């Protein structure tokens, strides 16, 4: 097909999509608004911009010429946000280190990403210092602290900024330049690096603005007057991209440092955030922590992602006035590719209708060609019954894995990124993730969704948290086993939970094979480094440790 | 500077920014919503999509292979909207013909754009038929009608669609492909063609979504639940880009055909639009037309552009409950590069504060590097006093003029598009256009803003409309002269208006040179083809015809 291309312009007018445009806009609407870090730091967007320029001069002063990787290993903070901008805007690549990984994995990612500079919180220095001699690419280390530091070995981030020039002209360059990278832990093998370009992060930010702003949904929207407090760590998919959105529109932002229920409660009280996002576990912990019980949470909008929002947790949230719904994505998708869309009629429904609407996995966002494919690679019927794998195309998906083309080839097949999530989809394009492909339990010829089973178990009032995994069974192939954390005051026995589940089987909501083989009560459920239930570990450790009841 | 580019991907994953993605999303959120054309046509987004596919097959059936120009000369309609998508999505270029131009100018644009196909409303056929033999590029003409047609010469749009296949796979291609073109009439010479690519229209649409959706302003936002009715003609800068936005988010849309106050009133009553945009004159006419006087307009959000919104008109609108504010742009800028931003405190102000806030020219939209430059090419002080020319960079500006590089070179200078508008800017980035450079009146060594003077004259309760131009004066260089249209019932003499203006001079709001030399009362003020006051014509015709009082 022929097309007509733009003729060369009479003047230089190219306008690449670069992160610097997001920062530039932060000075337009409400630059007097504040970025807050715990009870320690509070400054406006003029200061923020100046500090980003100072940091850029610091990076240049280290001899970085662009195209190098600068890693950050810090708690969520204003400093981290400065790095979100200065590192890519100087043409370098921001590597957000997941400090929840094991030291060996952290070392692996530093070397695999070929980090030149490390910006490290002093609490993590002991880990880094043990790596001495094992990080050939690292030329500079600087240290962040929340106050006076005992460290004298490495230059201090704050001192370097103070000494730096406040002027910096951020250059234009190709919008396909890599801006960020980080590592995701799969089910097997070493962490894999995903990476995103300036163009991708800019388009993802516009996606969030349109999806949360222009789309008029009856729940959890986010607009420029909201007060934003991320509860997803900043090392994890750029805190789902919202810090870029919040900064662009000069929203008030609140950063929590090391996440704790106490700090959440304290910041809720003092800074009154109105929009947050987190994995279900975090919301669970916040809703149950004694410190938050005394606080009025009504009007707090929370988008849940990372794992399924159970009806039980959604109910608990709604009872506290928390407007909760769901976004869908993964590290490879930047991440947001679907978000709950509640029509006014959904919002008018009774509690059960509300819970059903709010716990679905979302409707595709703009520019997102999201499909559910059966094993033959054909779209499933939009009947909310036939299951298949979620596949997706959009402008902001990782193009592969860093230096591992063969793994990228497994991710991208037939032109679509394969998410590994099993779902149904209904006639309104609303997705319902039923499981990870590898977590589906195949028992007696039936496929049982571990997530569906968890959601129903979680409806029992005594259950605080639950994980269901399939364990090998000589006769049935696999059988479901449930790990349960009870509320402190709850008195619940295995038979109570079986009685709770049986009606769902009788009503046909669960297959007859779905009754768990056992309910094991534990003090805590193993989690991955980003707070998801670690089913791989549960399966592998079950016979030894997990099977030990509390 | 070095950057690191994305490595080639393991799979085909490129995702160009194409208009087809906007259309695809129209089937996601609320595809049952309707697109309405007068009281004649009403269908949902499934039908709309099917008709776009049919039209695409019709275009292919004509032998178009992409890269050709298809012109539309129709009133605002569902058909026009179909052309907005099918023509660029088949790789061709949509030429929106301004039917308010003179026949000679229309012929000029058809030939200059090298149109291959004309889609013409039967009311315009007589004009086109007179061009027989003078349009060498035109190979096909099809005719649109609102009902049974007497035309038997040319195929009928509706019949062609009915006979066409409903299936079409829209291809991917380069996002820099030209999508649309149209002609703008400058102050001198032939109309000039501007042109926009798929990428530009997509980014402009996202700009509107973020600016009207995510930005939380106290006035005139637009969100997906609004009912959209454009009152800016679709041939004019794609009705300011909003039809693309409205379609993408499956908003209910109302198209008016040939604009008339009666039809506006009728559609307001029957379809209850909540968001419109237009030039001031149209709002003026609607507010004064007897048919609309009986209708409750409260809650109607209207964005004004094209010319300055006077405080008088804004007051009139607010009194009727119409939420009015301002967008800024021009044909060359796609068009929107600034929009009113009202803080809650602005909205809480008294009427005068409201009028001041609502009649400013707006705050730059995202990705818009908008500056006001003095004659030395330096930014003016952000003091709302120093005036200069508005210059702009953004991703959606025309790259030049079709086949006229020398005119493009005058438009783009020093890396910025020069708008020809004179403005001040305040510390909040809020722009106040004071005039077109060529309309500024230079009198006795002072520069007088014709727009400022018009705005103050319009505050007189007897004045319906006013135009001020500078005419040559032997002693003072130029002197301001005012053309005034009075309300039907008003009894106003020249001296009444001088008495009305004098206090503004005494208070220092106007220079002492600003008192018009004369106020001439006329029945109507000459307008350009897009409804702006035609100052060029007023100046040239003043001595002969305009000077004749009514």
């Amino acid at each position: 097909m022929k097309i007509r291309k733009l003729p060369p312009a009479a003047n230089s007018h190219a306008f690449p999509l670069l992160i610097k445009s997001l920062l530039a806009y932060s000075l337009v609407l409400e630059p007097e608004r504040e970025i807050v870090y715990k009870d320690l730091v509070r400054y406006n967007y003029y200061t923020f911009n100046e500090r980003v320029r100072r940091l850029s001069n610091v990076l240049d002063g280290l001899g970085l010429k662009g195209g190098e990787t600068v890693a950050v290993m810090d708690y969520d903070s204003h400093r981290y946000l400065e790095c979100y901008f200065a590192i890519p805007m100087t043409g370098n690549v921001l590597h957000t280190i997941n400090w929840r990984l094991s030291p060996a994995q952290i070392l692996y990612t530093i070397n695999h990403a070929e980090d030149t500079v490390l910006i490290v919180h002093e609490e993590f220095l002991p880990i880094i210092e043990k790596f001495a001699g094992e990080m050939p690419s690292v030329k500079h280390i600087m240290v962040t602290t929340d106050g006076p530091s005992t460290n004298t070995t490495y230059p201090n981030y704050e001192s370097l900024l103070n000494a730096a020039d406040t002027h910096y002209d951020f250059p234009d360059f190709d919008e396909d330049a890599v801006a960020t990278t980080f590592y995701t832990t799969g089910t097997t093998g070493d962490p894999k690096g995903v990476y995103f370009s300036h163009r991708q992060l800019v388009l993802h930010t516009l996606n969030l603005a349109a999806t949360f702003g222009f789309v008029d949904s009856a729940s959890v929207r986010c607009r420029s007057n909201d007060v934003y407090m991320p509860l997803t760590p900043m090392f994890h998919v750029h805190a789902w991209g919202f810090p870029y959105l919040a900064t662009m529109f000069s929203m008030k932002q609140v950063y929590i440092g090391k996440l704790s229920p106490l700090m959440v409660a304290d910041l809720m009280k003092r800074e009154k955030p109105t929009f947050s996002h987190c994995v279900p576990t975090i919301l669970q912990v916040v809703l149950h922590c004694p410190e938050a019980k005394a606080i009025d949470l009504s009007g707090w909008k929370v988008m849940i992602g990372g794992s399924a929002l159970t009806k039980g947790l959604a109910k608990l949230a709604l009872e506290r006035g928390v407007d909760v719904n769901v976004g869908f994505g993964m590290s490879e998708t930047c991440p947001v590719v679907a978000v709950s869309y509640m029509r006014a009629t959904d919002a008018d429904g009774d509690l059960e209708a509300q819970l059903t609407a709010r716990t679905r996995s979302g409707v595709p966002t703009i520019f997102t060609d999201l499909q559910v494919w059966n094993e033959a690679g054909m779209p499933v019927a939009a009947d909310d019954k036939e299951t298949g794998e979620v596949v997706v195309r959009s402008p902001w998906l990782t193009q592969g894995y860093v230096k591992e083309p063969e793994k990228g080839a497994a991710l991208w097949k037939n032109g679509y990124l394969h998410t590994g999530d099993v779902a149904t989809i209904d006639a309104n394009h609303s997705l319902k993730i039923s499981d990870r492909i590898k977590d589906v339990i195949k028992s007696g010829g039936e496929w049982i969704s571990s997530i569906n089973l968890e959601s129903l178990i979680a409806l029992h009032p005594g259950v605080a948290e639950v994980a269901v995994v399939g364990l090998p069974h000589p006769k049935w192939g696999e059988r479901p086993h449930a790990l349960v954390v009870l509320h402190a005051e709850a008195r619940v026995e295995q038979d109570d939970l079986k009685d709770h589940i049986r009606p769902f089987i009788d009503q046909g909501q669960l297959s007859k094979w779905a009754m768990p083989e056992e309910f094991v009560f534990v003090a805590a459920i193993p989690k991955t480094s980003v707070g998801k239930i670690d089913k791989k570990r549960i399966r592998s450790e079950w016979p030894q440790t997990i099977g030990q009841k509390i």
Side-chain angles (χ1 to χ4, degrees), chain A:
Chain A
M1 149 180 262
K2 274 200 322 183
I3 54 163
R4 194 183 306 168
K5 286 282 290 284
L6 296 175
N11 292 278
S12 168
H13 56 269
F15 200 105
L17 300 177
L18 296 173
I19 288 170
K20 75 176 195 174
S21 286
L22 310 185
L23 183 67
Y25 205 61
S26 74
L27 291 175
V28 175
L29 294 181
E30 304 271 2
E32 297 292 351
R33 285 208 189 118
E34 288 179 323
I35 296 168
V36 177
Y37 171 54
K38 300 200 287 193
D39 55 353
L40 298 176
V41 177
R42 171 185 298 275
Y43 59 55
N44 66 24
Y45 278 91
Y46 296 111
T47 304
F48 178 71
N49 272 262
E50 184 187 306
R51 286 173 58 92
V52 170
R53 294 193 301 269
R54 285 177 184 268
L55 176 54
S56 301
N57 281 314
V58 169
L59 296 173
D60 283 9
L62 296 177
L64 300 193
K65 300 262 181 277
E68 299 194 59
T69 306
V70 179
V72 177
M73 189 171 176
D74 197 354
Y75 298 117
D76 293 4
S77 63
H78 61 299
R79 297 177 299 252
Y80 216 135
L81 191 66
E82 290 156 10
C83 292
Y84 268 39
F85 289 87
I87 296 170
M89 283 166 61
T90 51
N92 296 297
V93 179
L94 165 68
H95 171 198
T96 57
I97 292 183
N98 179 349
W99 41 260
R100 293 218 193 100
L101 295 177
S102 69
Q105 284 178 314
I106 291 172
L107 178 62
Y108 173 86
T109 67
I110 289 170
N111 285 327
H112 192 268
E114 300 173 44
D115 297 335
T116 308
V117 181
L118 302 183
I119 300 176
V120 181
H121 191 283
E122 66 176 342
E123 281 186 29
F124 299 124
L125 259 189
I127 301 174
I128 296 296
E129 287 181 325
K130 278 200 197 124
F131 301 156
E134 295 179 82
M135 305 183 294
S137 60
V138 175
K139 296 188 192 127
H140 306 278
I141 294 175
M142 61 180 102
V143 171
T144 64
T145 62
D146 283 355
S149 170
T150 54
N151 150 65
T152 53
T153 317
Y154 304 106
N156 184 285
Y157 180 92
E158 206 61 33
S159 314
L160 289 168
L161 256 64
N162 285 339
D165 197 86
T166 60
H167 181 265
Y168 199 103
D169 268 334
F170 291 102
D172 271 2
F173 45 74
D174 193 316
E175 67 190 29
D176 288 332
V178 178
T180 64
T181 188
F182 58 90
Y183 285 74
T184 172
T185 48
T187 46
T188 53
D190 288 318
K192 296 178 300 228
V194 297
Y195 53 97
F196 299 99
S197 67
H198 282 256
R199 172 184 163 106
Q200 291 183 307
L201 289 170
V202 165
L203 291 174
H204 184 267
T205 305
L206 292 181
N207 170 36
L208 295 183
T211 298
F212 284 80
F214 193 79
V215 173
D216 214 336
S217 167
S219 90
V220 191
R221 294 295 107 170
C222 173
R223 300 208 165 109
S224 63
N225 281 348
D226 274 308
V227 176
Y228 169 60
M229 179 171 76
L231 298 177
T232 313
M234 295 179 83
F235 66 70
H236 184 49
V237 211
H238 336 99
W240 300 352
F242 286 94
Y244 284 117
L245 179 74
T247 304
M248 179 175 194
F249 292 97
S250 43
M251 293 167 67
K252 178 176 170 183
Q253 301 187 61
V254 182
Y255 287 92
I256 195 165
K258 189 173 183 176
L259 187 64
S260 76
L262 185 64
M263 188 57 80
V264 173
D266 188 47
L267 289 172
M268 289 295 302
K269 211 158 40 183
R270 286 194 295 111
E271 304 297 342
K272 302 189 173 41
T274 58
F275 176 73
S276 295
H277 49 76
C278 60
V279 292
T281 314
I282 301 296
L283 181 62
Q284 179 95 24
V285 168
V286 169
L287 290 177
H288 283 110
C289 85
E291 296 83 1
K293 287 222 160 140
I295 298 174
D296 176 14
L297 299 178
S298 61
W300 189 29
K301 295 175 284 188
V302 179
M303 191 190 80
I304 295 295
S307 304
L309 172 64
T310 61
K311 286 188 180 179
L313 181 56
K315 185 159 171 279
L316 207 61
L318 290 181
E319 285 165 358
R320 295 288 302 276
V322 178
D323 185 354
V324 71
N325 71 21
V326 167
F328 169 70
M330 58 199 299
S331 297
E332 285 81 352
T333 63
C334 198
V336 179
V337 289
V339 173
S340 292
Y341 176 60
M342 289 203 22
R343 290 171 180 76
T345 48
D346 293 327
D348 292 343
D350 62 13
L351 180 63
E352 183 53 33
Q354 285 262 343
L355 294 177
T356 300
R358 286 173 189 270
T359 55
R360 292 191 68 89
S361 313
V363 164
T365 59
I366 58 172
F367 295 107
T368 302
D369 177 4
L370 185 152
Q371 303 186 16
V372 182
W373 283 1
N374 62 25
E375 289 186 349
M378 295 297 293
V380 301
D383 61 1
D384 217 19
K385 293 200 175 102
E386 192 186 351
T387 58
E389 183 179 10
V390 179
V391 301
V392 64
R393 286 184 71 225
S394 95
W396 46 79
L397 311 182
T398 190
Q399 310 287 289
Y401 294 109
V402 175
K403 301 194 288 191
E404 310 208 71
E406 71 295 343
K407 287 182 184 160
L411 182 69
W412 282 92
K413 286 175 292 193
N414 299 314
Y416 283 78
L417 185 149
H418 288 241
T419 63
D421 282 314
V422 179
T424 61
I425 196 157
D426 72 11
N428 291 328
H429 301 265
S430 170
L431 198 67
K432 180 78 189 164
I433 305 290
S434 58
D435 227 330
R436 294 287 297 164
I437 284 181
K438 61 184 188 304
D439 292 336
V440 173
I441 301 161
K442 292 119 193 155
S443 184
E446 298 262 357
W447 284 37
I448 299 163
S449 157
S450 64
I451 292 177
N452 188 22
L453 195 45
E454 286 162 4
S455 186
L456 294 171
I457 295 169
L459 287 177
H460 189 286
V463 172
E465 211 176 357
V466 55
V468 172
V469 296
L471 295 178
H473 187 279
K475 182 166 177 191
W476 305 117
E478 287 183 338
R479 292 291 300 137
H481 294 244
L483 273 194
V484 175
V485 178
L486 293 176
H487 290 302
E489 68 280 11
R491 293 276 166 275
V492 179
E493 302 287 333
Q494 174 152 250
D495 283 348
D496 299 326
L497 293 179
K498 290 196 171 170
D499 290 345
H500 166 73
I501 285 301
R502 205 159 287 118
F504 297 116
I505 295 175
D506 295 343
Q507 294 154 23
Q509 280 197 57
L510 283 174
S511 96
K512 62 174 176 158
W513 304 96
M515 177 64 78
E517 201 68 9
E518 58 176 336
F519 291 85
V520 176
F521 298 99
V522 291
I525 287 176
K527 300 277 164 54
T528 69
S529 61
V530 293
K532 295 186 195 186
I533 294 174
D534 192 345
K535 295 201 174 176
K536 178 181 144 206
R537 190 176 141 208
I538 294 173
R539 279 190 294 262
S540 71
E541 295 184 4
W542 192 284
Q544 296 83 45
T545 53
I546 307 277
Q548 308 302 317
K549 299 187 190 184
I550 50 170

